[in-house]
Amino acid sequence: MSTMNLEPVPGRTDEMIVNMGPQHPATHGVLRVVLGLEGERITRAVPHIGYLHRNHEKIEEARTYPMVIAYTDRMDYVSGTQNELPFVLAVEDMLGVEVPDRAKKIRTIFFELYRLASHLVWMGTAMLDLGAISPFLYTFWDREIILGIVEKTAGARMLPNYYTFGGVRRDVHPDFFKDVADFLDHMERRMVDYEHLVLESPVVHARTKGVGVLDQERAVARGVSGPVLRASGVAYDVRKAFPYDAYPDVEFEIPTSPDGDTYARFWVRFQEMYQSIRILRQLLELTPKTGPYKGRAPARLKPPAGERYRAVENSRGELGVLVVSDGSDKPYRVKHRGAAFSNLQIIPDLFVGAKFSDAIAILSSLDPVFGEIDR
Amino acid sequence: MRPIPIPEDRHFRPRLIGYDPQKSRPWLERTVYAAYVFVFWLIVIATYAGVPALFGALGWDGGWGFVLMRVLQVVLLFLLSAVIALLLILVLRKYLGKVQERFGPMHYGPAGGIQTVFDALKLLAKEDFVPAAADALTFRLAPAVTFVASFAMFAVIPFASGWVLADTNVGLIYLIAVSTLSAYGVLLGGVSSGNKWALIGALRAGAQMVSYEIPLALVFLTVAVWSGTLRLGGIVDAQLGLWNFLPLALPFVLYVIASLAELKHIPFDFPEAESELIAGYNVEYSGMSFAFFFLAEFVELFLLPALIVVFFFGGWHGPLFGIEPGSLAAGALESLYFTLKTAVWVWIFLWIRATLPRYRDDQLMEFAWKAMIPLALFGLVLAAYMRLIWR
Amino acid sequence: MSLLQEVWQAVKAIGTGMATVHKRVYEEAPTEFYPYVKPELPPVSVQSLALVENEDGSERCIVCLQCERACPAQVITIERHRNPEGKGFLIDRFDIDLVNCMYCAACVEACPVSSIVTIQDFEMSTYDLQTLKADIDFLHEQARRARQWYSPKFGVELRTDDGRIEKAPPEMQPGGLAEILKPAEEVDS
Ligand code: SF4
Ligand code: SF4
């Protein structure tokens, strides 16, 4: 099991070694899992990653601080600005930059918009993995609206490079608040449909209930976070545990489920979308329409020598970054703590003993994004 | 390095053939479907009325002349199945497009109406590739087996009263035998491909077949017991007063579920399962071999709803408006009723396909063995009792 | 009884799902007809880069190398020499490797005179990647073809039909222009 390549057991003819990925449609990119299959049952599973490796951390060490922000975007490409925030927060801490209240709120609005977008992508692709085509196209259209709103302000759709030290790069578009409010109305209508198509569908129940159960101890021991952890009954959320930006100002709940199965992970993500809508509604009320969007950051960014770890609750879990500064204008070391990467570790635990079709459902419920896993 | 100068309009713009951006034209689409159905109808009339009339007029309706007539009818039916496949693929894509907030094919022909013809031409032009690891003979044979098994079902389908190739007394038994064969094609194709995904697909197809065939056969039996005949024409005739789906409600539901499984249709498309097995048993097929799998799939997508209509919805029955039964006009009208009823069922199947995710294969097996077979047996006994009491 | 209830629940849920899906048939599809109808992009949208010249055809760029320094992908290459008559520098070479550019617009933000700008010509597909290794003529050509462009310092600018460059009306400007127009101290306070 510990060897990277799965060798056939000598003398055993009932086991078939199958290579799932890296070009398999259900692996959300370039995951490769070598599976030992006994009929439909998985006997062994070895995940392989690294097919999308781009050497992010090393490149970032060779760039100045403002440049790094553009690179962090490229990690979890489904959830855009969420990746920028831990790095921005860490450097702001080191520099002691004051962030205006309004800038914090705008950042949080973008953060939650991208959470909705990311969960929509998850929902569509998960349903596609389970065999339903229609929800995929519905969710992608909703996500399109979010990306349109982001593009109007930030200039890009998926990799906006919008946060900066001390706030955001430019003020929001005049229509921004109205657009978001309209979108939330639209989204609330659509959530009813998604409930019908996803959460209430008996086929989804049959495919996911009791499948891939991750118990609480193992979830904590493996270091999973985010919806996967909360579906196992641990109410850990960085937004509550170590609040950042505007999260102390808004009310929201952390949905948890004691079951730990695939359905619980589906359910928790669904409830998170409702919570996101709730947070966004409050923030639309709270955010002043005009005001400063950026604090004063020094022109030459040279944080004092030292190190700082900051984490945020990204759509997939705790996304952290450790920045070590040696007092120059380039970070000495940048280490990202990827949420999807940590969540992926439980694949061998959950796959072994499951059916092959279950493996697809489990994988979709983990919602891996390979830009972040392979970095 | 000097960049190559960019011309002003440097981008490929597809030509506008029957296409108006910003606008969907439902009536044009409906006209296209109606045109396909009309062609379908014409072929049916030609097959079942035209050809026999022609041979009768020529006096060739005995001996070799009869054989020739049958061959001609089969050729026409092959044409019919091509029309069915073209229409159903078009409708499938259009309907899936509609429910998924997009348009489906739009560019070729009026409202995209001849897109599938181009697709078929493309498949014809493609290389028919046999992988090195495949068993070439079996690999090439498998699509033919699948297609022939589906196509052979046409022999006993009555399109109107008397409009049937073989009005045999063992029609139902023939159907059970032939429909089972199509799973062999899938099995052979999957096993001979030399691909692990195809092998898993074939295994799933085998496991699926043994689970749905039994309830399906039991439902056939129930219908036979209720109607008192194994002849499909007789089954339709027996529904003159009351269509079977009311007295045989339970077998009807079981039949719909089992035929979804037989079709390898969502929610039971395990042998293909794009997101799990990539394309399952046909992953290595290309060109015309693939097209024959496709053709077989869509011919079955017509035939199994057609059987629903024959068994439970009174086949060709419908108001005749005083036309004398048995005449050409009456046959034409009856076959139109039959086609339209079938179309409704095809649409329901497509609708299911647009909505539901996929079950897991062992769940179908569990359902088939633990629920469908007992229920089908119960339905059979119930039908027998009801028949004893009421008929 | 509970089994029957379960079956009924399942049938009802499937029915609701099917109704949910089918009701889309009566709604209008939000499809964009891209090759026939070009989408209207918001003015800040970063699709490509261009180097704007002044109305009289002289160079706006003062060759300060800010953009080269700010570029995270390090795809900008500028060579310059001192202007023999007068102040400043002249461009020898101004290349942007648009293949490796990641369209982060950091260069546009860094430029003190809004010479390098973002434009909205996204139809950059090509059979030959070498065509996207842009040199200064290419970048000027991009700017000449563009009807409008954006830079954080000047906001959206338009090119009129007779070739003049104008500031776009306020309703075309993206957010934050009020702050742009104000002196910098006010923004920070
Ligand atoms: S957009 Fe970004 S990557 Fe591209 S040239 Fe400008 S700074 Fe460099
Ligand atoms: S920052 Fe602007 S002015 Fe300076 S070199 Fe670049 S384009 Fe020219």
Side-chain angles (χ1 to χ4, degrees):
Chain A
M1 269 273 306
S2 60
T3 56
M4 282 299 275
N5 281 315
L6 216 45
E7 298 296 336
V9 181
R12 192 166 174 198
T13 51
D14 58 348
E15 193 191 50
M16 181 159 69
I17 309 280
V18 189
N19 208 354
M20 185 172 119
Q23 296 108 344
H24 190 281
T27 51
H28 293 237
V30 286
L31 173 66
R32 171 178 167 222
V33 191
V34 186
L35 297 172
L37 281 183
E38 194 185 289
E40 286 276 330
R41 196 167 290 281
I42 295 173
T43 51
R44 299 183 285 170
V46 179
H48 292 240
I49 59 168
Y51 289 89
L52 203 60
H53 181 58
R54 288 147 302 162
N55 205 354
H56 254 283
E57 290 171 359
K58 200 69 198 165
I59 291 177
E60 283 162 13
E61 285 161 24
R63 299 288 185 271
T64 59
Y65 284 94
M67 289 182 185
V68 175
I69 301 176
Y71 276 97
T72 52
D73 260 347
R74 269 83 185 157
M75 291 202 309
D76 181 352
Y77 45 76
V78 185
S79 40
T81 56
Q82 293 191 346
N83 303 289
E84 301 165 6
L85 196 55
F87 183 79
V88 168
L89 287 175
V91 176
E92 276 169 2
D93 277 1
M94 291 208 274
L95 290 167
V97 175
E98 274 297 312
V99 185
D101 200 42
R102 180 163 180 270
K104 283 185 177 176
K105 298 216 162 90
I106 293 174
R107 275 193 200 171
T108 313
I109 292 178
F110 272 80
F111 203 86
E112 288 300 323
L113 277 179
Y114 268 115
R115 185 188 308 281
L116 275 175
S118 164
H119 281 357
L120 282 169
V121 173
W122 157 77
M123 193 198 301
T125 49
M127 288 309 279
L128 199 62
D129 289 350
L130 295 187
I133 332 159
S134 302
F136 177 74
L137 288 130
Y138 301 158
T139 56
F140 267 66
W141 170 239
D142 289 350
R143 172 174 176 259
E144 200 67 20
I145 303 175
I146 299 182
L147 296 185
I149 293 174
V150 172
E151 188 186 16
K152 244 175 160 178
T153 291
R157 299 158 67 77
M158 289 168 71
L159 314 166
N161 187 18
Y162 182 56
Y163 295 170
T164 183
F165 309 117
V168 292
R169 255 173 224 281
R170 66 176 74 104
D171 204 352
V172 293
H173 193 274
D175 298 344
F176 179 74
F177 294 102
K178 192 177 153 295
D179 285 349
V180 176
D182 287 352
F183 168 72
L184 291 181
D185 293 343
H186 169 84
M187 196 63 210
E188 265 165 9
R189 280 196 303 278
R190 297 281 279 216
M191 286 301 282
V192 180
D193 291 359
Y194 294 144
E195 289 249 344
H196 290 327
L197 287 176
V198 182
L199 276 196
E200 287 168 11
S201 166
V203 190
V204 173
H205 287 194
R207 281 296 297 279
T208 56
K209 279 202 171 154
V211 166
V213 179
L214 177 69
D215 53 48
Q216 200 164 327
E217 285 91 74
R218 198 153 44 155
V220 175
R222 293 283 186 185
V224 305
S225 57
V228 184
L229 180 68
R230 293 194 279 278
S232 296
V234 186
Y236 172 71
D237 189 320
V238 185
R239 289 177 291 176
K240 283 272 194 216
F242 306 100
Y244 52 93
D245 273 5
Y247 284 110
D249 308 345
V250 290
E251 274 178 28
F252 63 100
E253 281 151 27
I254 307 174
T256 57
S257 163
D259 303 341
D261 58 359
T262 306
Y263 185 77
R265 295 194 272 276
F266 277 39
W267 184 86
V268 165
R269 287 215 173 80
F270 244 86
Q271 302 308 315
E272 277 193 7
M273 289 169 75
Y274 283 121
Q275 295 300 329
S276 283
I277 294 176
R278 191 174 151 199
I279 294 173
L280 283 170
R281 285 234 185 272
Q282 295 176 41
L283 283 172
L284 288 186
E285 297 274 305
L286 289 174
T287 315
K289 297 286 172 284
T290 51
Y293 59 91
K294 194 174 169 185
R296 187 194 287 278
R300 293 293 284 169
L301 283 162
K302 286 190 180 171
E307 63 177 60
R308 187 84 186 124
Y309 175 81
R310 279 309 290 261
V312 299
E313 183 73 21
N314 138 307
S315 338
R316 285 167 187 76
E318 178 175 341
L319 180 77
V321 68
L322 175 77
V323 185
V324 183
S325 164
D326 58 356
S328 71
D329 61 347
K330 290 174 183 159
Y332 178 73
R333 175 85 174 100
V334 183
K335 166 82 184 91
H336 294 286
R337 189 255 183 222
F341 176 69
S342 308
N343 292 353
L344 203 70
Q345 294 181 64
I346 53 174
I347 277 192
D349 294 5
L350 294 188
F351 273 23
V352 173
K355 299 258 170 42
F356 179 67
S357 309
D358 288 345
I360 305 289
I362 293 169
L363 189 61
S364 71
S365 77
L366 295 182
D367 192 16
V369 165
F370 279 82
E372 191 231 64
I373 289 165
D374 292 344
R375 288 205 278 284
Chain B
M1 181 168 314
R2 282 216 60 77
I4 301 162
I6 303 172
E8 188 54 43
D9 188 21
R10 62 194 190 275
H11 295 289
F12 170 71
R13 307 241 180 247
R15 271 178 305 144
L16 306 165
I17 305 177
Y19 174 78
D20 182 8
Q22 311 275 27
K23 216 164 152 200
S24 76
R25 284 166 294 178
W27 282 107
L28 189 61
E29 272 164 34
R30 279 165 216 168
T31 318
V32 171
Y33 301 155
Y36 272 101
V37 172
F38 184 67
V39 172
F40 173 90
W41 191 40
L42 282 186
I43 298 177
V44 170
I45 293 172
T47 316
Y48 291 106
V51 174
L54 181 71
F55 277 68
L58 292 172
W60 287 1
D61 44 3
W64 284 106
F66 183 75
V67 173
L68 192 64
M69 180 180 91
R70 283 295 190 238
V71 168
L72 200 60
Q73 282 180 319
V74 169
V75 170
L76 278 174
L77 280 181
F78 183 73
L79 202 64
L80 190 72
S81 56
V83 173
I84 289 170
L86 292 181
L87 171 63
L88 288 190
I89 297 172
L90 181 70
V91 172
L92 171 73
R93 290 174 62 181
K94 277 280 190 190
Y95 183 68
L96 282 189
K98 283 265 156 55
V99 300
Q100 291 166 359
E101 307 188 319
R102 52 194 181 88
F103 285 91
M106 290 279 285
H107 291 256
Y108 292 99
I114 51 173
Q115 173 77 46
T116 45
V117 179
F118 282 101
D119 287 348
L121 288 179
K122 184 206 80 170
L123 280 177
L124 269 174
K126 281 206 154 183
E127 184 191 357
D128 211 345
F129 181 75
V130 182
D135 182 278
L137 180 68
T138 331
F139 186 79
R140 286 201 179 285
L141 211 57
V145 172
T146 317
F147 175 70
V148 169
S150 318
F151 185 62
M153 277 203 251
F154 267 117
V156 292
I157 303 277
F159 281 83
S161 59
W163 284 22
V164 51
L165 279 195
D167 203 5
T168 141
N169 277 333
V170 289
L172 270 181
I173 308 233
Y174 172 84
L175 270 184
I176 294 175
V178 165
S179 66
T180 316
L181 271 181
S182 78
Y184 280 101
V186 172
L187 264 172
L188 290 178
V191 172
S192 67
S193 287
N195 180 311
K196 285 172 181 172
W197 300 115
L199 181 62
I200 300 176
L203 292 178
R204 284 184 174 188
Q208 189 175 339
M209 184 190 72
V210 295
S211 34
Y212 70 75
E213 279 293 341
I214 297 166
L216 203 63
L218 283 172
V219 171
F220 281 1
L221 271 184
T222 317
V223 174
V225 165
W226 177 251
S227 319
T229 173
L230 290 171
R231 202 167 55 84
L232 267 67
I235 291 170
V236 177
D237 283 336
Q239 301 179 48
L240 204 51
L242 176 69
W243 288 357
N244 274 348
F245 76 99
L246 284 175
L248 301 182
L250 179 65
F252 161 63
V253 173
L254 292 177
Y255 182 83
V256 172
I257 297 174
S259 55
L260 282 174
E262 162 139 23
L263 271 174
K264 301 184 280 295
H265 195 91
I266 278 176
F268 304 122
D269 63 338
F270 318 121
E272 290 175 54
E274 319 88 71
S275 60
E276 293 167 18
L277 303 183
I278 303 168
Y281 63 92
N282 61 25
V283 64
E284 291 289 354
Y285 281 92
S286 59
M288 262 334 261
S289 334
F290 176 71
F292 267 93
F293 271 128
F294 226 62
L295 196 59
E297 188 184 327
F298 281 89
V299 167
E300 281 204 14
L301 184 55
F302 169 78
L303 285 174
L304 287 166
L307 285 180
I308 294 182
V309 171
V310 169
F311 290 158
F312 300 103
F313 284 87
W316 61 75
H317 289 320
L320 278 185
F321 308 111
I323 301 172
E324 179 198 338
S327 65
L328 175 66
L333 198 58
E334 283 171 350
S335 63
L336 189 63
Y337 286 140
F338 179 78
T339 312
L340 293 181
K341 284 182 199 172
T342 310
V344 170
W345 274 98
V346 170
W347 170 65
I348 291 176
F349 276 34
L350 297 185
W351 190 8
I352 290 174
R353 182 164 182 158
T355 312
L356 290 185
R358 182 184 307 120
Y359 276 105
R360 208 168 59 210
D361 49 351
D362 59 311
Q363 283 162 346
L364 169 66
M365 276 174 250
E366 202 175 304
F367 184 61
W369 287 97
K370 289 191 185 158
M372 276 164 75
I373 292 179
L375 282 176
L377 282 170
F378 176 70
L380 176 61
V381 174
L382 200 67
Y385 267 108
M386 279 179 0
R387 166 137 181 120
L388 275 183
I389 294 164
W390 282 322
R391 290 219 175 167
Chain C
M1 228 46 236
S2 77
L3 180 72
L4 275 185
Q5 257 170 12
E6 247 173 60
V7 171
W8 170 239
Q9 286 291 335
V11 170
K12 210 170 75 176
I14 290 183
T16 331
M18 284 174 72
T20 309
V21 167
H22 187 69
K23 89 179 174 211
R24 311 271 178 216
V25 172
Y26 308 107
E27 287 171 13
E28 203 168 325
T31 308
E32 284 174 14
F33 291 87
Y34 159 56
Y36 310 105
V37 182
K38 275 205 182 186
E40 249 184 59
L41 297 173
V44 291
S45 184
V46 186
Q47 305 297 342
S48 188
L49 300 172
L51 205 58
V52 181
E53 292 163 297
N54 287 330
E55 280 169 22
D56 56 5
S58 62
E59 205 63 64
R60 233 193 216 190
C61 173
I62 52 170
V63 212
C64 62
L65 305 190
Q66 289 297 330
C67 51
E68 191 181 16
R69 288 199 195 104
C71 175
Q74 305 190 339
V75 295
I76 305 183
T77 316
I78 304 176
E79 283 167 16
R80 62 180 184 182
H81 64 266
R82 276 204 177 280
N83 193 352
E85 64 246 27
K87 289 202 290 179
F89 296 91
L90 293 180
I91 303 179
D92 286 335
R93 177 174 169 204
F94 196 114
D95 288 357
I96 302 183
D97 181 358
L98 289 180
V99 182
N100 292 327
C101 167
M102 54 194 202
Y103 300 103
C104 63
C107 49
V108 179
E109 209 136 303
C111 181
V113 292
S114 287
S115 165
I116 186 163
V117 295
T118 55
I119 57 171
Q120 284 155 35
D121 183 1
F122 54 88
E123 296 182 319
M124 305 251 293
S125 55
T126 167
Y127 289 107
D128 182 6
L129 282 185
Q130 296 303 323
T131 55
L132 290 178
K133 307 253 180 205
D135 67 357
I136 190 161
D137 296 337
F138 185 105
L139 293 167
H140 282 158
E141 181 60 33
Q142 295 250 66
R144 269 181 229 121
R145 279 195 298 117
R147 310 296 301 177
Q148 72 176 55
W149 54 80
Y150 172 77
S151 62
K153 299 259 163 11
F154 288 6
V156 181
E157 287 173 300
L158 302 175
R159 188 187 294 286
T160 56
D161 290 333
D162 49 349
R164 283 181 303 107
I165 296 173
E166 266 179 8
K167 188 151 213 137
E171 64 268 18
M172 274 185 72
Q173 300 287 1
L177 192 76
E179 280 79 7
I180 294 168
L181 298 176
K182 272 187 245 162
E185 312 81 74
E186 269 185 62
V187 180
D188 290 349
S189 59

